Amino acid sequence: AGGLVPTNRLSIADLVLYGGDAPSVLDDPLLERRPGVATRLYDLAAPHPEDLFVIISNSGVNNVIVEMALHAKEQGHRILALTSLAHTRAVPAGHASGKKLADLADVVLDNAAPPGDALLELPGGGAVCALSTLTGVMLVQMAVAEASGLLLAAGERPPVYVSANVPGGFEGNLELEKRYAGRIRRTAS
């Protein structure tokens, strides 16, 4: 409830859900670093040129993240990045281009997470309590609020989901989704 309807989440799981790969492909712990994965995910999503890409990565350096940003830019998309600038500045680029997500984005929102993401140092090394999830959710919701404000200022009603647990919510959401038939995809995950 409250989220924008015309959105799609791109995920490595799309290789299985939409690309026909066997589920075992997801067992590869280095899949997010394999060349070609992002371009394949892009093709499976079939975005329109005017689509905005919101790319979220704490480090902003993994190959698939940078490859997706590079490919999206080549296709003329604008990119909003959510990343930890402290983390990305502390580690080398993981893509052959030497680029990082923050280098490619039109707008960068810093999630303020420390390198490694976890906040509370443990005695003897390591840390617990990731920050990027909490600040990432807040930053995404702030971006939704800003986009909704811009739509309202332009005289348009923001296409947002209503809770399916209020009268008419489920039916209203289905009607909104029909406006974007062929452009959005919904899965149970």
Side-chain angles (χ1 to χ4, degrees):
L4 295 171
V5 173
T7 61
N8 284 317
R9 181 184 80 174
L10 278 62
S11 166
I12 288 183
D14 291 353
L15 298 172
V16 175
L17 293 172
Y18 305 108
D21 286 16
S24 61
V25 72
L26 302 177
D27 294 338
D28 180 352
L30 298 177
L31 187 59
E32 69 181 356
R33 296 185 175 151
R34 303 255 183 250
V37 172
T39 304
R40 184 140 180 258
L41 292 172
Y42 179 95
D43 291 342
L44 289 171
H48 290 203
E50 66 274 15
D51 290 344
L52 168 73
F53 273 65
V54 177
I55 303 179
I56 303 170
S57 170
N58 193 63
S59 71
V61 299
N62 279 346
N63 188 70
V64 171
I65 292 295
V66 175
E67 184 180 279
M68 181 62 78
L70 283 166
H71 192 67
K73 289 300 267 188
E74 289 168 3
Q75 301 304 311
H77 299 284
R78 293 186 47 117
I79 297 172
L80 169 67
L82 274 71
T83 192
S84 164
L85 292 176
H87 191 150
T88 201
R89 290 175 181 144
V91 295
H95 189 268
S97 68
K99 300 283 187 188
K100 299 177 183 182
L101 176 59
D103 300 329
L104 300 165
D106 297 289
V107 175
V108 176
L109 300 179
D110 186 0
N111 69 22
D117 199 5
L119 279 179
L120 302 175
E121 298 292 327
L122 295 172
V128 297
C129 300
L131 181 63
S132 67
T133 302
L134 297 171
T135 57
V137 167
M138 181 188 69
L139 290 168
V140 167
Q141 294 307 317
M142 291 172 72
V144 168
E146 182 66 20
S148 297
L150 292 171
L151 286 168
L152 288 168
E156 296 184 42
R157 181 162 179 75
V160 296
Y161 282 108
V162 175
S163 172
N165 297 312
V166 300
F170 180 77
E171 296 79 11
N173 291 340
L174 289 178
E175 284 302 311
L176 269 175
E177 287 180 346
K178 284 181 187 176
R179 287 177 43 193
Y180 303 98
R183 294 285 322 246
I184 61 172
R185 58 187 186 202
R186 297 294 178 252
T187 60
S189 61

